[in-house]
Amino acid sequence: MLFGIVFVETGLVVMPFLPGDSLLFAVGALCAMDPVELKLPAGGFMPSLPVAMALLFAAALTGDCVNYAIGRFVGPKVFSSESSWLLNKKHLLRTQLFYEKYGSKAIIMARFVPIVRTFAPFVAGIGQMKFRRFISFSLVAATLWVGLLAPAGYFFAHNEIVKKRFDLVILAIIFISILPCSSRSHAAG
């Protein structure tokens, strides 16, 4: 189920609202907790942190690759019109230039921004970013994303605030992760 959620959030451009940062933190925290304390149903279990991280990393990377492939396949067909206001060939060319110049930063930074992380691989595919370049930065981004957030949850799991107010901690993570979006839109306004 964890693999599916992360895969869909990063792999299907129509599902950007699924949890990402908060899910990774929560999984890390759950990995640190005693199974008896979690009151899991019969037969239920929580994997070890390394197993959970490997699963989440694979989901993030696979999702990115699928999203990139969809963008690469769809982009040239959708952006073929010269007269369309939104889906016009000039926009495709600008996207290609952007990803040639800033693609590495965009792929890595987008991983930490909700909604943007869903669109970045798709747009990289539309922009015809070279797959070798895309995958190398996607590997770095997925490694950093999973490697920072899941262990953070694991190490903070026994903190009294996290134990008592886990719901507020998750809400704080969501709020912090959307700050980059709101500060950019405020600066642009």
Side-chain angles (χ1 to χ4, degrees):
M1 192 161 101
L2 294 174
F3 182 94
I5 292 170
V6 172
F7 172 81
V8 169
E9 189 226 3
T10 60
L12 302 178
V13 77
V14 295
M15 301 297 268
F17 54 84
L18 291 173
D21 304 334
S22 56
L23 178 67
L24 269 60
F25 184 88
V27 167
L30 292 172
C31 287
M33 293 181 181
D34 181 5
V36 175
E37 185 182 352
L38 290 174
K39 298 177 186 161
L40 293 172
F45 78 99
M46 200 60 204
S48 68
L49 183 63
V51 170
M53 287 176 63
L55 180 78
L56 294 167
F57 171 81
L61 190 61
T62 307
D64 270 6
C65 290
V66 167
N67 210 350
Y68 171 89
I70 292 168
R72 191 155 178 105
F73 178 76
V74 169
K77 293 169 181 56
V78 173
F79 288 87
S80 60
S81 173
E82 298 285 339
S83 61
S84 172
W85 171 75
L86 181 63
L87 304 174
N88 134 356
K89 197 179 245 181
K90 285 185 231 169
H91 295 159
L92 176 62
L93 294 173
R94 280 193 214 132
T95 302
Q96 289 170 338
L97 291 173
F98 173 85
Y99 271 92
E100 282 177 27
K101 189 171 183 179
Y102 303 108
S104 56
K105 291 177 191 169
I107 297 300
I108 293 170
M109 291 172 58
R111 177 57 73 179
F112 292 91
V113 183
I115 300 174
V116 176
R117 86 173 124 255
T118 304
F119 289 102
F122 181 73
V123 175
I126 287 173
Q128 305 291 302
M129 183 180 194
K130 300 249 183 270
F131 182 74
R132 180 174 280 184
R133 186 167 183 233
F134 169 79
I135 194 68
S136 64
F137 292 111
S138 186
L139 278 163
V140 170
T143 300
L144 289 171
W145 190 54
V146 173
L148 291 172
L149 292 171
Y154 186 87
F155 292 113
F156 284 107
H158 297 295
N159 179 295
E160 283 305 310
I161 295 170
V162 174
K163 275 182 158 182
K164 289 181 180 177
R165 299 306 309 202
F166 192 70
D167 55 337
L168 291 179
V169 172
I170 297 300
L171 288 174
I173 291 167
I174 293 168
F175 176 74
I176 290 167
S177 63
I178 61 172
L179 278 178
C181 290
S182 61
S183 66
R184 270 193 292 268
S185 62
H186 182 67

